[in-house]
Structures are given as structure tokens and as C-alpha cells.
Amino acid sequence: MREGESIACHDCGRLHGWHALRVHERARCTRCRRELYRWYATGPAVRPSSMVAVTLGAMLVYLIAQCFPIVSLELSGLSTSVTLLESIGVLWREHMQVIAVMVFFFAFVFPALEFGALLYVAGGLWRGRRVRGFDACLRTVQAARHWAMTEVFMLGILITAIKMTSLARVVPHPGLFAFGALTILAALVMRFEPRALWALGDRYLRKDPYRPLARPGGGALVACHACGLVNAMAPGPAHGQRCARCSARLHRRIPNSIVRTWALLAAAALLYIPANILPVMVTETLGSGAEGDTIMSGVALFWNTGSPGLAIIIFVASIAVPVMKLLALALLAATAQWRSTWAPHGRTRLYRVVEFIGRWSMLDIFVVTLTVALVRFQQLATITPGPGALAFGCVVILTMIASAQFDPRLIWDPIEPNGEHHA
Ligand SMILES: [Zn+2]
Ligand SMILES: [Zn+2]
């Protein structure tokens, strides 16, 4: 980035001039207070060498976490232990292929994609070049980061382990500690923002991406949704124009944002009913036969067996958060559709909360996955996943896509439309 270069706010579209920050400073939007960038995310603080070191470390810990068992259960001389991939295999064999695929992507594929693509790009910058596929790789990092759920999975492991202590002896294995370390390393890797890498890559570009902005008499200004570059559009419809830096398709607002948000919300609300009525887990024990547990009865069980803390965590993640997300997104979509000017700051904050908490609802799916894989004591006790888990997993994914489809700048458009200070 260069001094004075335009940077657009993600949430409201207001344009700001970029300037270097002092240590521990962060730049915020003057209109909606959204954080624009932090001191370490731009300029000399981002060093390709440290990016390579941290990402390589995360990659190695990731491999350890995936190769070693996480925990084992011991009960009446029998013992079971699982790795992440083994527990996904159990789900697959229990005819829960959709959930198996979800867990496979969220806990296995996306973290690896994020680290791999980042390492490739940062490694290239370290050696002083913009690698082939630079733009596609950084876009992959952005998308994979949004869907990688290492920290949620880690909490899922802890809850499963605590839950199992009432049933059998729980023995921690190297995989558990590796996932703990991976959670910390993944948070460090998050500091390397694709947009900062795009800015670093600029010095190896033959063309100057900032030139189109300097041209007077251009059309509207549009911020690229991938790399953040503010492009001056040629007059006419934005459709079909591409970013001068990363060649992503440009559009002023996410196309059909409100209609798509409504459609995804409706599907999620419908599935929310079976998600709560049908059992998420079926427990078969010697003598007492099969017994189904819904999300709510699982919460009640924790509460009654002396684990109120776990009951509250599961209640918040699996019941309060999905309901709150459905209601909040409906409110945002409706007010944006009516071009309401009511409480834009409050609605923008609500949007940020929805974006932030969305992933944590996957917690229950991870707990079900690990529980099902661990409790296989042939005749003594077996737990299988129920159809409620499938419906619930779909609710979480649909609401996550719905919040990604909602364009927060629509909140601000009726208030100060299309000025020269907005993109
Ligand atoms: Zn803003
Ligand atoms: Zn771009």
C-alpha cells in the first residue's frame, strides 16, 4: 500500500486514504467504525520470511494432529481411540455421508488449503517473485479461512472428552495436544491477511494497478471484493468489468444479495424444525435398548448430570445462536429491502455479530462425530448419529452462506447513496 491510496470500508463502502500506522494502532472506518487494517497487516511489518516460518510450523503441527489419535476411551477392559479421519470414516459407514463430508472439509481440507496456498504465495514473495496463480491462491486463502474450523473442532474435542469421563476412562493422546497447538498457530496465521499479500505482490507487477484511479472523468468507484483495490469503472454497467490488479469480477454490490439471503434463510428455517425434533444421536446399551437424544434433551442431560457449564455452552452454540442468526438475518434483509434508514450503526454491528458467531454452531456436529466414533464397545454400548444431526448441519451451513450473501453496504446505501467518497 502507498501513502494516501484509497481503501474502502468492507461494511459501509466509505473511502479512506491509507497511511502507515504505529505499532499496536488500528485504523477504523470514520462512518461505521469497522476496523480497516491493523499496524501489522500492511507495510514493512509483514515479512514474507516470518510468514513462511509460521505457516510452515502450522503445517507441521497440522500433520501431527491428523496422524495421531486424539483421545482414547477405556471401559471394562475394552479400548477405542480415534484420529479425525477415522471418526469421519465411522460417520460414512453409519450412512451419514453428508455430515462426514462436512466434517472432512471443515476440519481437514480447508485448514490444509489455507496453509498450503499461503505458504506457496509467501514462499514466492520471499524469493522475490509473484508466483504463477498468485491471485487464485490468495482467493483460495480467503475462502478456506472462512470455512476452516480448527478452533471450533478443538472445543468439540474438549467437550466430548469431558462428556465421556462419566462413561469411561478418557486418555489424552498426541493428537489432542497437536490440535491445541494448531488452534494457536492458526490464529497466528490469520494475521497474514491476503489483502496485505496482494499489496506486497504489487511491486512485481508489470502494469501499475493504481493507474486507472488516477484517470480523471472515470465512472463510479468500485472496491474489488477480493483484493480490496478501489477501481474506477468505465461508464456503463459494472457487469463484466474486472479488477485491474487481481482480475476478479467487479460488482458494486453482491448481485441479488437480498433475494439470495431470503432464499437461504427460508431453507434454513424449514430445516431448523427437523433439526430440533429428530434425534441427533441414538444410544444403544446392553439391556436398555435404543434411545434417541435430540439437541434439547442432550442439553437437559448435561444439566441434570452435574455439568451445567457444558449444558450452557451446547445450548448457546446449538439453540440460541442458530435462532438468533435466523432472526437477525431476517431483520437485516427486510430493512435493507425497505431501504430503511433506521439505526445503521446498530444493524451493522448486528451483521458483524452474525458473521462472527456463525461457525460456532458447528460445535454440536463435531461433538456428535467424535462421540459416535469413540463409543463403539460392541455389546456394551454403541452410539450412532441420528437424522437430526444431518438437518442441523445443513441449517448451520445455509445460515453461514446466507450471512456471506448479505451485503452490509446495503444498510448504508439509503443514507448516503453513491457519493464520491463511497465505493
Ligand atoms: Zn464503514
Ligand atoms: Zn481485485
Side-chain angles (χ1 to χ4, degrees):
M1 300 294 266
R2 305 173 193 179
E3 206 63 29
E5 185 201 314
S6 289
I7 178 166
C9 170
H10 172 272
D11 286 0
C12 76
R14 173 164 283 186
L15 290 174
H16 302 76
W18 186 90
H19 68 95
L21 298 175
R22 283 193 294 274
V23 173
H24 298 307
E25 271 187 335
R26 54 182 76 183
R28 287 187 184 281
C29 173
T30 52
R31 179 155 72 164
C32 73
R33 309 302 298 158
R34 160 92 185 203
E35 183 180 302
L36 297 171
Y37 55 93
R38 291 190 193 189
W39 63 279
Y40 57 72
T42 45
V46 189
R47 279 182 225 291
S49 54
S50 58
M51 277 188 231
V52 169
V54 174
T55 314
L56 203 59
M59 200 103 170
L60 289 175
V61 174
Y62 169 87
L63 288 176
I64 297 171
Q66 302 294 1
C67 292
F68 288 90
I70 302 167
V71 285
S72 65
L73 277 195
E74 286 168 19
L75 178 68
S76 321
L78 296 169
S79 169
T80 56
S81 72
V82 283
T83 63
L84 171 64
L85 282 180
E86 282 166 0
S87 54
I88 292 170
V90 171
L91 278 182
W92 187 274
R93 285 193 298 279
E94 294 288 344
H95 308 292
M96 279 286 156
Q97 285 91 345
V98 178
I99 300 184
V101 170
M102 280 181 202
V103 176
F104 178 65
F105 274 93
F106 294 155
F108 188 84
V109 175
F110 287 130
L113 261 184
E114 181 195 345
F115 299 151
L118 191 63
L119 195 61
Y120 175 62
V121 169
L125 289 172
W126 190 25
R127 282 174 294 143
R129 59 197 192 91
R130 209 173 182 270
V131 288
R132 187 191 292 263
F134 185 87
D135 298 316
C137 282
L138 284 182
R139 253 174 258 150
T140 306
V141 174
Q142 266 173 341
R145 189 169 279 182
H146 187 252
W147 292 99
M149 299 188 187
T150 307
E151 75 281 31
V152 186
F153 184 68
M154 183 62 210
L155 186 60
I157 295 175
L158 292 179
I159 290 185
T160 313
I162 297 170
K163 187 169 123 176
M164 290 299 146
T165 48
S166 62
L167 186 83
R169 211 169 87 84
V170 180
V171 183
H173 283 278
L176 175 74
F177 303 109
F179 265 110
L182 184 63
T183 306
I184 296 165
L185 282 168
L188 287 178
V189 171
M190 283 281 263
R191 289 165 58 123
F192 309 132
E193 289 168 14
R195 290 189 177 192
L197 284 137
W198 252 301
L200 278 179
D202 280 347
R203 69 180 76 150
Y204 308 109
L205 274 178
R206 255 173 255 116
K207 58 183 179 185
D208 182 358
Y210 302 104
R211 256 196 45 222
L213 248 194
R215 203 182 297 148
L221 298 177
V222 172
C224 171
H225 66 95
C227 75
L229 180 76
V230 178
N231 289 260
M233 304 292 283
H239 194 71
Q241 299 197 38
R242 286 177 182 275
C243 173
R245 175 156 66 191
C246 73
S247 316
R249 216 176 266 284
L250 290 174
H251 33 67
R252 269 203 75 243
R253 300 291 175 259
I254 297 172
N256 301 323
S257 168
I258 295 177
V259 177
R260 287 191 200 175
T261 308
W262 277 127
L264 291 159
L265 270 185
L270 271 180
L271 281 169
Y272 187 69
I273 301 164
N276 278 284
I277 294 175
L278 298 176
V280 286
M281 278 191 276
V282 180
T283 313
E284 281 174 66
T285 42
L286 190 66
S288 62
E291 197 182 320
D293 264 317
T294 62
I295 295 175
M296 200 61 215
S297 69
V299 171
L301 191 71
F302 274 134
W303 188 266
N304 296 331
T305 50
S307 316
L310 290 188
I312 291 169
I313 293 177
I314 297 280
F315 178 81
V316 169
S318 309
I319 295 175
V321 166
V323 170
M324 186 248 152
K325 255 164 64 179
L326 286 173
L327 294 177
L329 280 168
L331 177 78
L332 289 172
T335 48
Q337 191 163 14
W338 299 328
R339 299 186 63 77
S340 161
T341 54
W342 166 72
H345 288 279
R347 283 190 286 147
T348 307
R349 232 170 283 143
L350 185 65
Y351 162 78
R352 282 177 210 150
V353 171
V354 170
E355 273 280 275
F356 176 74
I357 58 175
R359 56 208 289 109
W360 290 95
S361 304
M362 279 308 280
L363 185 62
D364 212 37
I365 296 292
F366 292 140
V367 172
V368 169
T369 303
L370 290 165
T371 308
V372 164
L374 278 170
V375 185
R376 342 226 90 231
F377 297 109
Q378 289 95 26
Q379 305 86 357
L380 288 173
T382 321
I383 297 184
T384 47
L390 177 60
F392 184 75
C394 293
V395 171
V396 177
I397 291 179
L398 285 170
T399 49
M400 276 185 77
I401 302 176
S403 69
Q405 281 299 323
F406 180 76
D407 193 328
R409 291 170 297 186
L410 294 174
I411 298 171
W412 295 89
D413 280 348
I415 293 160
E416 239 177 311
N418 273 333
E420 59 181 294
H421 302 299
H422 302 99

